[in-house]
Amino acid sequence: MRWLPALSLLIAAPASAAQLLFAGGQWAALDRGGTCEAASRSLRIAQKGKVQARAGFAFDANGPRHGQFFAELSRVPRAGSTVILTVGTQPFLLASNGQWAWSRDPAQESAIIAAVRSAGGMRVDSRDASGRRFVDRYLLDGAPTAIDAAAARCAGKMQRR
């Protein structure tokens, strides 16, 4: 039942909007039509009525994203605050707007994916409107396979049903 957290990502989407490609560990790969993603929810489950933090990698079948890291944060960062992704011990400064953060460029995306392949966990850190630090933590078991499945589907190397 370790795949249940990953499967919850699919439940959040309308049935016609996503096809499950892979679910394993804490990660799932989804085909959403023109885009594919490998995603996971944070270890901390959101309270009722709050946003569930999630993170992943997005791929476009015919667009500019080929492994863009994204994170929906558990809280909105304070204006001007940095958002830092740390994979294992390697930090990455993310771009952000509101409750979302993402990788800055293709070189950073490649470095993040490489780090994910050899680390056991990652976290996203920032400060909220009152200046309190918050951290969204993720396990990476299943992440490499989910990333590969999403990338392959959007590159046309896996059959669509």
Side-chain angles (χ1 to χ4, degrees):
M1 294 291 235
R2 294 191 62 198
W3 49 267
L4 267 167
L7 195 57
S8 68
L9 294 168
L10 181 64
I11 294 168
S16 63
Q19 178 187 1
L20 180 66
L21 303 173
F22 167 82
Q26 299 292 314
W27 286 73
L30 305 170
D31 179 346
R32 297 186 183 279
T35 65
C36 301
E37 67 181 45
S40 182
R41 68 176 192 200
S42 67
L43 291 173
R44 181 180 298 136
I45 305 302
Q47 295 176 353
K48 189 173 182 174
K50 302 284 185 180
V51 171
Q52 175 63 55
R54 66 187 198 98
F57 297 87
F59 300 85
D60 291 331
N62 296 312
R65 296 182 305 167
H66 300 288
Q68 179 185 47
F69 176 81
F70 66 86
E72 184 173 14
L73 308 173
S74 60
R75 296 186 229 166
V76 176
R78 175 175 62 186
S81 289
T82 58
V83 178
I84 305 289
L85 167 68
T86 304
V87 181
T89 60
Q90 189 171 357
F92 299 93
L93 177 64
L94 300 177
S96 65
N97 186 9
Q99 205 149 355
W100 288 90
W102 56 92
S103 50
R104 297 175 164 272
D105 57 41
Q108 187 184 54
E109 291 157 11
S110 294
I112 293 170
I113 290 172
V116 163
R117 292 187 184 284
S118 62
M122 70 180 188
R123 68 180 193 268
V124 181
D125 299 73
S126 193
R127 295 201 175 271
D128 66 15
S130 61
R132 290 185 308 246
R133 179 175 178 245
F134 68 93
V135 180
D136 298 328
R137 297 180 188 280
Y138 301 84
L139 293 177
L140 294 174
D141 56 316
T145 305
I147 292 167
D148 292 346
R153 174 60 69 93
C154 271
K157 295 179 181 176
M158 286 177 66
Q159 292 283 0
R160 281 189 157 72
R161 293 185 226 194

